[in-house]
């Protein structure tokens, strides 16, 4: 039996741990924080339950397949609930669209603003399905892009589907109304990408959601984390919490294990699910390696986010399980965040209200609300230690007086925030971005940090910072890509 040491316990490492256990590896996971989950942690206060990170599930069949590797039935651990609509999107003029997989409903809503756009809906979905076919069905998402010829093999398909064209401009080829251009180009923001720059390969998410739905699990997203933890320990895996790894021990081109809490743990392979930049800057601090400090600091990093968790003793039926509330600006706001690195006066926000679906997430008659606002990473000249309180007051004031959540401030029982500085300090996220390097073309696939280190033959990476990228399906696929490389290495 070979030993694998895994740094971090996000979804990528949990899925990879299952794959390794199923193929006979001895697996040991080291988590910095008091509970497993990484960005997908959870907290409870005064009867309110809050998922702190990922808030939706797509492709539940992928989760079922991973559990089945250990002959476990995911549905015995998890209660999957399909959401309808997937999102309610409020625009700056208070108009809204309920976004779902119902083609007739979508086209009927779109026709209110543009019949031409409604007529093009099926054409856009057909485009999205072709990209999905390449990434998911043909397995490019789970294929390691650690060799240049793998990337070159993909180029003809990408050119054929215009997958290299920026996401927003691809959507604009089908839709003319600003509502629809946003609705079919915003998904890259879920993975930390600028829709005006990242390749339109990420628009496959529109078809992915249509095909497999958008789901939630009773008890919150953390129920999935707990289910993974249960089956990992049931099948012999060891999980150490409150055990930060301070160093990856190296001998020549090989990792020999990890140091955690001043104790050395030997391993045949080391896998990092930690932030890629943190891994190479802090755990493998060698200047002669490919991803050295200079290269890492020159890379382009994704945005960050400010998250406000509110326990409110009042119901707000105008909020769906997932609700987007948008500024009148789109491109300009994104430019302020990604390029100018400022905190503008306006903002767009995403609200996760799980109590709208699962009453156990809040006391009776109350709402558990998570408000996420895209903001610049720590390149912005902002002192979040002092700015957090000011920004929080501004957000609550906007929701109550501009959006219309009556008496919000007076009914708040729980209030907690998580800002870019917290992502840096609590999650080891470089520049406070949970998504790592921005998924622009020059930092995707072969040009992203590889799933197997270019310098150390038995050091592997998994999760949002490596191929294929962020998002729950992305990190699950990364576990498959990394597992393939581990098998090749083992042979």
């Amino acid at each position: 039996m070979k030993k694998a040491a895994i740094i971090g316990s996000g979804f990528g490492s949990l899925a990879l741990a299952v794959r390794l256990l199923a193929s006979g590896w001895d697996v040991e996971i080291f988590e910095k924080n008091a509970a497993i989950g990484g960005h997908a942690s959870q907290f409870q206060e005064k009867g309110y339950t809050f998922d702190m990170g990922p808030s939706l599930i797509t492709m539940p069949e992928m989760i079922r397949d991973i559990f089945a590797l250990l002959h476990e039935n995911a549905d015995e651990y998890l209660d999957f609930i399909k959401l309808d609509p997937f999102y309610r999107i409020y625009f700056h003029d208070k108009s809204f669209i309920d976004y779902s997989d119902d083609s007739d409903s979508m086209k009927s809503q779109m026709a209110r603003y543009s019949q031409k756009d409604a007529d093009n809906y099926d054409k856009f979905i057909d485009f999205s399905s072709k990209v999905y076919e390449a990434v998911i069905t043909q397995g490019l998402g789970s294929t390691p892009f650690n060799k240049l010829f793998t990337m070159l093999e993909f180029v003809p398909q990408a050119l054929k589907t215009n997958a290299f064209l920026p996401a927003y401009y691809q959507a604009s080829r089908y839709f003319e109304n600003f509502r629809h251009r946003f609705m079919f180009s915003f998904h890259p923001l879920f993975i930390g990408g600028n829709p005006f720059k990242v390749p339109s390969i990420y628009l496959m998410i529109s078809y992915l959601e249509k095909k497999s739905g958008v789901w939630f699990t009773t008890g919150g997203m953390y129920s999935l984390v707990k289910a993974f933890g249960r089956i990992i320990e049931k099948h012999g895996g060891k999980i150490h919490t409150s055990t930060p790894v301070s160093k990856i021990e190296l001998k020549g081109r090989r990792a020999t294990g990890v140091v955690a809490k001043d104790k050395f743990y030997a391993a045949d392979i080391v896998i990092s699910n930690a932030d890629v930049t943190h891994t190479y800057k802090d755990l493998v601090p060698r200047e002669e390696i490919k991803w050295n400090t200079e290269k890492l600091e020159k890379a382009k990093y994704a945005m960050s986010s400010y998250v406000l968790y509110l326990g409110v003793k009042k119901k707000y039926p105008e909020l769906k399980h997932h609700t987007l509330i948008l500024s009148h600006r789109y491109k300009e706001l994104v430019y302020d965040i990604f390029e100018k690195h400022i905190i503008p006066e306006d903002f767009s926000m995403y609200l996760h209200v799980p109590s709208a679906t699962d009453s156990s997430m809040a006391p009776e008659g109350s709402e558990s609300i998570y408000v996420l606002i895209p903001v610049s990473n720590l390149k912005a000249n902002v002192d979040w230690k002092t700015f957090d309180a000011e920004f929080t007051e501004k957000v609550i004031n906007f929701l109550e007086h501009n959006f219309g959540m009556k008496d919000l401030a007076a009914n708040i029982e729980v209030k907690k925030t998580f800002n870019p500085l917290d992502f840096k300090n609590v999650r080891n996220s470089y520049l406070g971005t949970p998504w790592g390097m921005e998924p622009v073309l020059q930092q995707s696939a072969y040009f992203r940090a590889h799933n197997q280190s270019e310098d150390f033959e038995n050091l592997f990476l998994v999760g949002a910072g490596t191929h294929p990228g962020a998002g729950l399906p992305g990190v699950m696929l990364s576990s498959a890509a990394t597992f393939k490389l581990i098998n090749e290495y083992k042979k």
Side-chain angles (χ1 to χ4, degrees), residues 221-428:
M221 288 290 291
Y222 199 69
S223 62
L224 177 55
V225 174
K226 291 193 291 187
F228 267 120
R230 284 175 63 190
I231 65 168
I232 287 168
E233 292 188 317
K234 177 180 176 181
H235 292 271
K238 298 186 184 73
I239 299 175
H240 304 274
T241 54
S242 300
T243 309
V245 169
S246 57
K247 186 179 182 183
I248 297 172
E249 286 286 3
L250 302 166
K251 186 175 183 181
R253 293 190 65 246
R254 289 179 51 79
T256 59
V258 300
V259 176
K261 291 182 119 174
D262 297 322
K263 181 179 178 182
F264 174 67
Y265 295 83
D268 296 289
I269 61 172
V270 173
I271 302 150
S272 180
N273 185 214
D275 178 88
V276 168
T277 304
H278 168 67
T279 299
Y280 282 124
K281 273 175 66 74
D282 303 324
L283 305 183
V284 187
R286 288 193 181 181
E287 288 306 306
E288 70 271 18
I289 63 176
K290 179 177 178 180
W291 291 98
N292 57 38
T293 299
E294 182 181 3
K295 182 172 180 178
L296 289 167
E297 289 179 351
K298 285 182 178 178
K300 185 168 180 58
Y301 287 87
M303 65 183 188
S304 185
S305 61
Y306 157 92
V307 191
L308 170 62
Y309 307 95
L310 295 174
V312 185
K313 56 181 180 180
K314 190 177 188 302
K315 299 295 285 186
Y316 290 96
E318 64 269 34
L319 300 179
K320 297 297 184 182
H321 188 115
H322 299 294
T323 303
L324 281 76
I325 303 173
L326 305 179
S327 164
H328 65 287
R329 301 193 307 153
Y330 184 17
K331 183 177 182 178
E332 297 83 1
L333 182 59
V334 167
Y335 185 80
D336 284 348
I337 293 167
F338 282 86
E339 306 299 330
K340 295 175 71 174
H341 295 294
I342 62 172
I343 307 295
E345 287 300 313
D346 59 328
F347 40 67
S348 291
M349 57 177 64
Y350 158 67
L351 283 73
H352 178 221
V353 189
S355 50
T357 300
D358 178 2
S359 61
S360 72
M361 301 292 285
E364 185 177 355
S366 303
E367 298 281 32
S368 168
I369 303 173
Y370 143 152
V371 183
L372 183 150
I373 297 178
V375 296
S376 172
N377 59 40
L378 290 174
K379 282 192 174 181
N381 185 25
V382 175
D383 180 3
W384 280 99
K385 290 179 181 177
T386 56
F387 184 63
D388 188 288
E390 175 189 334
F391 197 63
T392 298
E393 184 178 352
K394 182 176 179 179
V395 172
I396 293 171
N397 184 67
F398 170 85
L399 287 170
E400 179 168 347
H401 299 289
N402 295 75
F403 180 67
M405 292 175 64
K406 188 177 179 182
D407 300 326
L408 173 63
N411 284 281
I412 293 173
E413 291 190 297
V414 175
K415 181 170 64 175
K416 178 182 174 70
T417 63
F418 207 87
N419 64 49
L421 196 58
D422 295 312
F423 281 110
K424 177 179 181 292
N425 294 334
V426 180
R427 307 274 183 243
N428 289 331

Side-chain angles (χ1 to χ4, degrees), residues 112-131:
R112 295 200 301 259
Y113 309 110
S114 169
Q115 183 61 51
K116 180 181 176 182
D117 285 4
D119 293 340
N120 279 337
Y121 171 81
D122 290 329
K123 295 176 184 176
F124 175 81
I125 294 298
D126 181 63
F127 154 76
S128 180
S129 71
K130 288 181 170 62
V131 183

Side-chain angles (χ1 to χ4, degrees), residues 175-228:
F175 308 115
E176 59 185 13
N177 186 272
F178 72 90
R179 298 172 183 84
H180 310 141
R181 287 183 172 185
F182 173 87
M183 190 164 60
F184 294 106
S185 69
F186 81 91
H187 283 101
L189 289 165
F190 277 178
I191 57 170
N194 176 347
F196 297 88
K197 286 198 170 183
V198 303
S200 58
I201 190 169
Y202 295 105
L203 297 187
M204 69 157 214
I205 298 173
S206 294
Y207 181 74
L208 182 153
E209 290 182 338
K210 185 173 179 62
K211 183 177 187 294
S212 66
V214 171
W215 300 75
F216 184 68
T217 55
T218 300
M221 288 290 291
Y222 199 69
S223 62
L224 177 55
V225 174
K226 291 193 291 187
F228 267 120

Side-chain angles (χ1 to χ4, degrees), residues 144 146-147 452 483-491:
N146 62 322
K147 296 176 181 176
Q452 182 177 18
F483 182 66
K484 288 177 183 177
L485 290 168
I486 291 171
N487 277 339
E488 289 175 12
Y489 169 74
K490 188 179 179 184
K491 290 176 184 177

